[in-house]
Amino acid sequence: MISKIELENFKSYYGKRVIGPLHKNFTAVVGPNGSGKSNCIESLLFVFGKRAKQMRLSKLSELIHKSAKHPECTTATVCVYFSDIEDHEDPDLFTELPGSQFSVSRTVNHNSVSKYMINNNPADYKEVVSLLMEKGI
């Protein structure tokens, strides 16, 4: 289960933003046009390794926040937090299994070079894919 998503200087989100906590049964992202709803999905695509062209971009650096108010942003980072859960009889209840939490993040710089991390440790794309596949994601 995705428990939360942290975005830093990602597209329309300046600074650090946390989306979550998310629920195992239903999560809705709502807001007016232009509020960044589709950026949530794009942030997941980014962490899961999509290339710029697959996200309708010419280069990954286009994901870095750009605004007249904050022109100094040079990187964008997305970190997705996961945990295994145990279901209960009540479908609205669940328990995160202790020790099952892990995170996967990806950072892109102004040169469109990106780096992955697993639990804040450097990783490569193959390691990320292997972990996610192992977890059934």
Side-chain angles (χ1 to χ4, degrees):
M1 174 183 112
I2 296 175
S3 54
K4 69 180 177 178
I5 306 167
E6 285 184 358
L7 310 170
E8 187 167 0
N9 299 329
F10 186 83
K11 292 195 79 169
S12 62
Y13 298 105
Y14 170 73
K16 193 176 244 183
R17 302 279 189 244
V18 177
I19 300 170
L22 304 178
H23 193 277
K24 75 170 187 93
N25 287 338
F26 181 77
T27 296
V29 179
V30 297
N33 289 343
S35 65
K37 296 179 300 290
S38 61
N39 292 347
C40 286
I41 300 302
E42 287 181 323
S43 72
L44 292 173
L45 294 174
F46 173 65
V47 168
F48 295 155
K50 292 294 182 184
R51 293 188 189 98
K53 300 281 187 229
Q54 294 171 307
M55 295 170 39
R56 299 173 305 170
L57 304 168
S58 60
K59 54 189 176 177
L60 285 177
S61 63
E62 292 174 25
L63 296 172
I64 301 170
H65 177 82
K66 289 182 189 136
S67 67
K69 197 172 182 181
H70 303 286
E72 74 282 0
C73 299
T74 58
T75 63
T77 301
V78 176
C79 186
V80 180
Y81 293 84
F82 298 89
S83 62
D84 291 332
I85 59 170
E86 177 183 1
D87 287 319
H88 297 277
E89 286 184 31
D90 182 340
D92 288 334
L93 296 177
F94 62 93
T95 304
E96 289 188 21
L97 296 175
S100 70
Q101 297 79 13
F102 69 96
S103 65
V104 176
S105 65
R106 186 178 183 189
T107 299
V108 63
N109 68 19
H110 65 281
N111 293 325
S112 291
V113 175
S114 66
K115 295 182 180 181
Y116 290 94
M117 304 279 273
I118 297 174
N119 294 328
N120 295 319
N121 296 309
D124 62 28
Y125 175 71
K126 288 181 181 181
E127 291 172 299
V128 169
V129 169
S130 177
L131 173 64
L132 296 176
M133 287 181 66
E134 173 188 316
K135 297 289 186 176
I137 301 168

